[in-house]
Amino acid sequence: MILDRAIRSGQSIMHLDGDIVVIGSVASGAELIAGGSIHVYGALRGRAIAGAGGQPNARIFAARMQAELLAIDGFYMIAEEIDASLHDQSAQAMLSEDRITVTKIA
């Protein structure tokens, strides 16, 4: 699913059959739920839930990582757990040994 617009606060987008690609930002209070991976070509300020259909290899990509919550295959990470040096940076989140890790995209 490709969304060529910003996702506003209060909106919830669900696509359990694959990836979600957002060409724009995701506002605080908005939510994306994907069966596959999530790609945000803008600021990710809301909640991103990837691998909702039981896909541990799903990832979350953001051009500007500012997420309130990240989740992959049932494992969660809140904003306070994301390394502060990654705030507002291009980053990806993935599952590694049943734990979400967030790394900078070079």
Side-chain angles (χ1 to χ4, degrees):
M1 171 185 284
I2 299 174
L3 302 168
D4 196 10
R5 61 185 166 84
I7 309 303
R8 295 186 309 259
S9 181
Q11 288 185 298
S12 181
I13 306 295
M14 184 181 296
H15 180 63
L16 298 179
D17 295 328
D19 296 356
I20 295 176
V21 178
V22 178
I23 313 295
S25 295
V26 177
S28 179
E31 178 178 70
L32 300 175
I33 303 171
S37 295
I38 294 174
H39 308 258
V40 178
Y41 296 101
L44 171 56
R45 296 183 188 98
R47 297 179 298 279
I49 301 167
Q55 292 192 20
N57 293 326
R59 293 185 185 199
I60 300 168
F61 300 92
R64 293 174 53 207
M65 183 65 76
Q66 302 173 15
E68 296 171 349
L69 177 134
L70 301 171
I72 300 174
D73 192 31
F75 294 90
Y76 291 82
M77 174 181 271
I78 59 173
E80 291 78 12
E81 296 173 315
I82 300 172
D83 187 334
S85 69
L86 297 172
H87 182 77
D88 210 28
Q89 301 293 313
S90 294
Q92 68 173 323
M94 68 189 95
L95 206 54
S96 176
E97 298 179 12
D98 294 340
R99 184 170 179 217
I100 295 178
T101 59
V102 181
T103 58
K104 187 173 179 177
I105 297 174

